[in-house]
Amino acid sequence: MALVMTLAPAGHAATPPDAEITAALKRHGDGTWTQADVNLIRSIPELAAVVEDVTRPEEITTVSAPLNSAGQPMGHNGAPMGGTQASQFMPPADAEPAIAGETVIAPVEDDVDPDSSGVSPMITGGTWKMTHITHTHRSYSGSIIFKYHTYAEFNYGGGKVRALRERYDDFTNTNSVDVKIAPKCIVDTKSSTPANSGSSQMKREADLCVFKYGCYATLHPWAEVKVYGTGRTAIGGSGV
């Protein structure tokens, strides 16, 4: 996925010296960047298209859907989703599943949904549900550098989180930039069930690199989904 590019002057302005660009990229990576660094990167279109915009608020989206007995996501009408609609909720075939022998099992949680009435819902057999969290990273020009996805499948019923089943993480949209992704999760944790609540957390490492200037930033995107016995979820995480 190496990115090859030639830096050309923007308009009639001279391209800043390599040393200035390297220093600005380094400060982007270690979090000490200044507005002058931002302006420098933005002034070079080829860099603005591939360097992460550190001034942009985090872009996080979350979708959830109940699953039928065949493991298919269902819409509001109870009918199974298919094709593109289903792909918004379910992991792709090449997503990395959590490895059972490497997952850290955290202690049982005892957090009750603060928005619940305290009355346990009567759900025979419980309900399986998939939650998909996406962290999107964009360049200064607005193009996508990469997306980090996590998926967690859980069962709830009778006021309890009964089980956490399949869990995955995945990177997409990395074709336009050199993104070096660690081959394994550096955090892979789920809490014990059954319990009043349950959590799943996954974290990965990724280096952002620019041809000629090398890797300028190491990110540790992570996501956590907390599930209550009511089926409600709470989301946490960061892309940095």
Side-chain angles (χ1 to χ4, degrees):
M1 294 188 292
L3 172 70
V4 178
M5 65 181 187
T6 301
L7 293 182
H12 297 289
T15 302
D18 285 349
E20 289 186 22
I21 296 173
T22 299
L25 288 171
K26 181 180 182 301
R27 288 189 289 269
H28 270 68
D30 64 23
T32 61
W33 56 271
T34 64
Q35 187 60 48
D37 295 325
V38 171
N39 294 342
L40 185 150
I41 299 299
R42 281 178 170 162
S43 73
I44 306 170
E46 294 83 357
L47 278 179
V50 297
V51 174
E52 181 163 21
D53 184 350
V54 294
T55 68
R56 182 184 291 269
E58 285 199 297
E59 187 175 339
I60 306 171
T61 58
T62 305
V63 294
S64 296
L67 306 177
N68 62 17
S69 59
Q72 298 172 293
M74 296 185 297
H76 295 299
N77 60 359
M81 301 178 190
T84 301
Q85 187 181 18
S87 69
Q88 297 175 19
F89 298 87
M90 304 301 289
D94 60 354
E96 292 288 339
I99 301 173
E102 297 180 1
T103 298
V104 175
I105 306 300
V108 168
E109 297 184 354
D110 195 33
D111 298 328
V112 178
D113 183 351
D115 294 332
S116 72
S117 63
V119 178
S120 298
M122 300 303 293
I123 305 176
T124 303
T127 299
W128 283 103
K129 190 174 185 180
M130 177 70 82
T131 297
H132 171 199
I133 306 171
T134 304
H135 286 77
T136 300
H137 294 249
R138 295 184 184 273
S139 71
Y140 281 107
S141 66
S143 60
I144 295 174
I145 292 179
F146 72 85
K147 291 185 178 183
Y148 177 60
H149 307 264
T150 57
Y151 302 82
E153 189 178 2
F154 58 90
N155 181 282
Y156 66 95
K160 298 289 185 180
V161 176
R162 299 181 175 189
L164 281 163
R165 193 161 60 182
E166 300 297 335
R167 299 159 55 249
Y168 303 84
D169 71 344
D170 187 36
F171 283 79
T172 63
N173 302 85
T174 61
N175 293 332
S176 62
V177 177
D178 187 4
V179 182
K180 296 181 179 179
I181 301 166
K184 295 173 63 176
C185 281
I186 57 177
V187 172
D188 174 5
T189 303
K190 68 176 182 178
S191 62
S192 299
T193 52
N196 286 332
S197 61
S199 295
S200 169
Q201 181 177 334
M202 302 185 85
K203 183 177 184 179
R204 194 67 77 96
E205 182 174 277
D207 291 330
L208 302 184
C209 310
V210 178
F211 177 75
K212 180 180 179 181
Y213 300 102
C215 297
Y216 67 90
T218 299
L219 304 181
H220 296 93
W222 66 277
E224 179 180 40
V225 56
K226 184 182 188 71
V227 184
Y228 295 98
T230 58
R232 192 178 72 88
T233 58
I235 305 301
S238 174
V240 298

